[in-house]
Amino acid sequence: MSDNRVTVRRAVDSDEPALLEIELTAWDATSGFPSLTAGGRTNFFTERSGPAAHLVAEQDGRLVGYIRLQDKYPFEEGAGVLAVNGLAVAVDARGRGIGSVLLDAVTAEAQRRGARKIALHVHGVNTVARRLYERHGYVVEGTHPREFLIDGQYVDAVDLALYLDV
Ligand SMILES: CC(C)(COP(=O)(O)OP(=O)(O)OC[C@H]1O[C@@H](n2cnc3c(N)ncnc32)[C@H](O)[C@@H]1OP(=O)(O)O)[C@@H](O)C(=O)NCCC(=O)NCCS
């Protein structure tokens, strides 16, 4: 019998191939930076972003998405501000609420850590992700007009944040 429930857990080293597969196929010009996912990339984890920085979602025994949560600042005055530095769901698993479950898991984790704010950047044109974040209470903190040139088009960078202590 298949179990459609989505479970979330901390990533482990052996998740790397499944995470790399998602990384190489999930992003496009409206959501990511094509130069970072184009050709040749063979690792998902890096020295700065190892398994401990990731929560992964599983459904029917398959890894279907991840979210990366890190300290935004490496000094104590910025402690309490965490950053979502990546959120992606496998293309064929979208629209089933997995992104939503990952965002809820990160909120719970941030609260456990005593964080006061979760910050992230999203491309202005990424309407699917922006709606999702908005539904989860994220608000716009600022916009950087024409921040990136992606496939010949200028793209705004939008700073969003969820306040946990208000
Ligand atoms: C953004 C993203 C993580 C959302 O993941 P998800 O698991 O599809 O999220 P949910 O199912 O919780 O909600 C997604 C929205 O897409 C809609 N949707 C429905 N079917 C869909 C489908 N087949 N494909 C994509 N989206 C679909 C959902 O209804 C929902 O819309 P709503 O917000 O208007 O209700 C995913 O689209 C993704 O990986 N995108 C590329 C990377 C990205 O943009 N990351 C965020 C960068 S800041």
Side-chain angles (χ1 to χ4, degrees), residues 9 17 21 23 27 31-32 37 44 54 57 64 67 72-74 77 82 86 89 117 129 138 143-144 164:
R9 61 167 172 80
E21 170 69 21
E23 193 67 354
W27 302 93
S31 56
T37 40
F44 178 83
H54 298 83
V64 286
I67 191 160
K72 182 165 182 186
Y73 302 102
E77 291 81 355
L82 299 180
V89 169
K117 177 171 165 176
Y138 285 75
T143 299
H144 308 265
L164 301 169

Side-chain angles (χ1 to χ4, degrees), residues 26-27 31 87-89 94-100 126 131 133 135:
W27 302 93
S31 56
L87 163 65
V89 169
R94 290 184 189 168
R96 300 183 202 154
I98 293 163
S100 206
N126 192 350
R131 259 202 320 269
Y133 292 131
R135 233 177 28 232

Side-chain angles (χ1 to χ4, degrees), residues 35-111:
S35 68
L36 297 181
T37 40
R41 189 164 167 193
T42 55
N43 64 304
F44 178 83
F45 296 125
T46 63
E47 202 172 324
R48 179 175 138 65
S49 299
H54 298 83
L55 297 178
V56 295
E58 284 182 314
Q59 191 172 41
D60 285 333
R62 173 187 166 215
L63 198 159
V64 286
Y66 77 83
I67 191 160
R68 184 181 298 126
L69 183 68
Q70 295 169 306
D71 288 328
K72 182 165 182 186
Y73 302 102
F75 46 85
E76 71 180 56
E77 291 81 355
V81 184
L82 299 180
V84 166
N85 288 330
L87 163 65
V89 169
V91 173
D92 65 353
R94 290 184 189 168
R96 300 183 202 154
I98 293 163
S100 206
V101 167
L102 284 166
L103 275 182
D104 285 343
V106 133
T107 305
E109 159 118 4
Q111 280 166 333

Side-chain angles (χ1 to χ4, degrees), residues 2 18-19 23 45 70 89-90 96 110 112 127 132 137 150:
S2 95
L19 286 167
E23 193 67 354
F45 296 125
Q70 295 169 306
V89 169
R96 300 183 202 154
R112 251 192 323 272
T127 48
L132 179 65
I150 302 176

